[in-house]
Amino acid sequence: MAAAVGAEEEAAAAATAEEERRREGARESEGECGDEGDSDSSADGEDEEKENEAEIQRLEEQLSINAFDYNCHLDLIKLLRQEGELVKLRRARQKMSELFPLTEEIWLDWLKDEIRMASESTDREKVYELFERAVKDYICPEIWLEYAQYSIGGIGQEGGIEKVRSVFERALTAVGLHVTKGTAIWEAYREFENAILETAQPAAGSIPSPEQQQTLSAQLEKIHMLFRRQLGIPLLDMETAYAEYEEWSEDPIPEAVIKNYKKALQQMEKSKPYEEALLVAETPKLAEYQAYIDFEMKAGDPARIQLIYERALAENCLVPDLWARYNQYLDRQLKVKELVLSAHDRAVRNCPWTVGLWNRYLLAMERHRVDHQIVSENFEKALNAGFIQATDYVEIWQAYLDYLRRRVDFTQDSSKELEELRSAFARAVEYLKQEVEERFSESGDPSCTIMQNWARTEARLCNNMQKARELWDSIMTKGNAKYANMWLEYYNLERAHGDTQHCRKALHRAVQCTSDYPEHVCEVLLSLERIEGTLEDWDAAVQKTENRLARVNEQRAKAAEKEAALVKQEEEKAEQRKQARAEKKASKKAKKMKPGDKRKVEDDDDEEWGQEEEAEQPSKRHKGDGDSTHAEEEVEDMEIETGLFGRSTPARPAASSKQKEKAAASRKEAPRILHDSAKDNLTVFVSNLSYSMADPEVKLKELFESCGEVVEIRPIFSNRGTFRGYCYVEFMDEKSALQALGLDRRIVEGRPMFVSPCVDKNKNPDFKVFRYSTALEKHKLFISGLPFSCTKEELEEMCKAHGNVKDIRLVTNRAGKPKGLAYVEYENEAQASQAVLKMDGLTIKENVIKVAISNPPLRKFSDRPEAGRASQPMIPRQSYGARGKGRTQLSMVPRALQRQSNLVTKAENGMVQNSPATSSASTEEPKKMSNADFARMLLEK
């Protein structure tokens, strides 16, 4: 039997060896067949490796130029991890972590890489240190859970169990209240304690000793306590934890625990709507988080408020306002040094370009008595943070100088702190002059506020008025001598800390130099001499002020004359243009019109006069639609009358345009529909359409039906039936009309279509529609100098290398032609700032572009009346009829009737309009008069 078994084993071993040989042979043959493919793939791999090495070198050079390029750090770490360059990878992560807080994903990748490489106990300690750094950046349940699991691996070391419990307790403090993710920490902690309980159990059948019994009881109490603590906190799926406790516990659950559990359930029900809103909301969820924060603020639990802030910041770490609100809460409510300073440090590392966060950080460090050396180091970091405005540097310098001033004991004549303050003032002035002015072409401090504060400090706190006078002399030489408020500021300082002689001297200089408000400075000088001066001083002051004011009045009179001359010049130019148009029109009529057609109305001229003005003022168009019907009837009467006198009619157009003529005639004969102003909220005004658009009703209905049910589209046609390029679109409900506004600037037949609310400008003369922001937008760029051939896709390809581009708008004129300008919107301020630094001055298709943060200048409205209309009274638009002024400006009333100005002020197109007094007294409609009525009136004369 044994021999048989041995034979079977030998046969099996032989079979196994044979099978192994066959497999090896198959692998070798497969390798021979695949040699050629392997060589190709290895060549491709080598090429890719070389490309990656070149890209790594490029990214490292870029970071040496600008270390605050966040996206560049990410790309470098990704490539190094892909290439397996562990030493370089660790160094790159270290550099990035010194500048920015790392996200949860970056930390987890780093920790997992280090855990794989850790082999000895010293390596384990380094991983522990890395975990400690990771949990300080953000409140991340996953990192805490990973930390706890890793610490369990060191349980065999001395104090290993207590180390694990310490990590778990800290994790519960940090994220145990997390409604959706906190349960995982509690469960992991209980599993660990249950595992300890299993190891403490005596062997089966043995009787535990008193020491073992005591250990078991203590361990059971630990697990009981964990269950009770968890059930008192509102967490997701609390019912499961309660059922598990009921099953695990041999004793009934105490009433106090049940009471706390029910209370936590009620709190969970209140929080559930906010958690559900976060679950379905799209990034960045700021509104949902703010609502949640407001809810917790009303409840008033500091730990829960802190946690919801941390959750919001983990997803919106680049939102400065959110950091500012969080830090303000910590500064005013919790006031815990470690917590407050940690939050401020993370805020400025996430948003280093925001000067307000740096200012609050300096104040927090001073408030918590941080070492002066650390405060100074953080201030130097702020100077290197790359602010996007010159005024930001003035602000951070002022905050630091205030801090230094509060350190000085001014009761001593001289001290180290005072010398440091003076040195800082001098450095600030030089820094703004050299560094800031070189970068922004301005110092950011035109009023010299820092030098003014320095002068006040010297005068009031150091009793060094001589130094203050030197500083003010320097301030005035920087272009501030023409401003009265600067001289009065200096005068007040002299008045408080100087002497009368220097006050008088300052005011005399002010009278001579001030150009904005010299009367005010003169008044102050006379007040000084009235109180303290001698008669000679008074006479000198009166003479000086009178001479100065006389010169000022003379200069103002000359300026007024010059202004009037400019206005007159503009009026003359306008009159010349008007005469030129009239002459051009007369010559055009003489060439093109036959003698019998001289009274016929030409619609081309009508468009030339009224087209542009009507396109901008929709209310004026629809308000005159009723009158235009009468005007058309009169035109037809004129044509009929011309035919009665036997004069020839104009030649008919070519046969190819008969269909257009027929369509135009049908539109001309169609009744005019007045716009109902009561439906303005249901109607949008559409303009800047192509005049050659065929069937605008059909074309626009297809476009606007996507917004809602369209009731009516009313395109506006000229008297000849040609489309005027604008129309009214009426919807069934207001929501559809509001949605239609989103089609503004949509390209239709090669032109941007303008869609605006339908507003009567006679009732709302100041109404303006501009859909884009005119304020400073730090996340948006303004690019100028682009080639006209640059497309949106080309610009997006160039811009997305510096961040996530949300929107690009190429600026065009009314005809849809590009202006070489564009607005590019990024996700946040950091990306926009990086794009400015890298793109400004680039050459695109031989064009050098300029890139800046979007900050449109304020629109300036001149108080001067429009040229050519300064002397004309304001006449209501409707006094000119439905289409504005007549083309020939000829009155249709005989001259004999025009002399009766007190009775009849104006007649136009057969409509007699009374004087304002008469028209206001009468509410009747103006009487329509025919040619026969005019003839009868002449005969009566």
Side-chain angles (χ1 to χ4, degrees), residues 422 454-473 489-499 502-503 506:
R422 285 173 171 159
W454 188 2
R456 293 188 193 100
T457 302
E458 293 288 354
R460 296 176 182 175
L461 302 176
C462 301
N463 297 320
N464 188 354
M465 197 61 204
Q466 182 59 34
K467 180 64 176 177
R469 292 186 185 114
E470 293 175 3
L471 291 169
W472 268 105
D473 187 64
E489 188 71 31
Y490 174 38
Y491 165 75
N492 290 330
L493 190 68
E494 281 284 1
R495 193 75 171 153
H497 306 284
D499 51 48
H502 283 91
C503 288

Side-chain angles (χ1 to χ4, degrees), residues 217-235:
S217 300
Q219 190 62 28
L220 284 171
E221 184 60 28
K222 283 186 174 67
I223 300 174
H224 274 290
M225 187 58 64
L226 281 175
F227 269 116
R228 293 167 186 172
R229 287 167 62 189
Q230 180 181 354
L231 292 176
I233 297 173
L235 299 171

Side-chain angles (χ1 to χ4, degrees), residues 729-744:
V729 181
E730 182 181 335
F731 291 90
M732 182 63 71
D733 52 42
E734 187 174 354
K735 183 179 178 182
S736 301
L738 293 174
Q739 189 174 349
L741 297 176
L743 298 178
D744 186 36

Side-chain angles (χ1 to χ4, degrees), residues 684-690 693 699-700 703-704 725-727 729 740-756 771 812-816:
V684 295
F685 177 67
V686 184
S687 61
N688 203 45
L689 299 169
S690 175
M693 181 182 288
K699 176 78 175 179
L700 295 176
L703 189 62
F704 283 96
Y726 58 90
C727 65
V729 181
L741 297 176
L743 298 178
D744 186 36
R745 300 304 196 279
R746 174 73 64 87
I747 303 300
V748 178
E749 295 190 1
R751 293 174 64 88
M753 174 181 68
F754 298 163
V755 184
S756 58
R771 61 183 294 189
T812 62
N813 60 15
R814 295 175 70 89

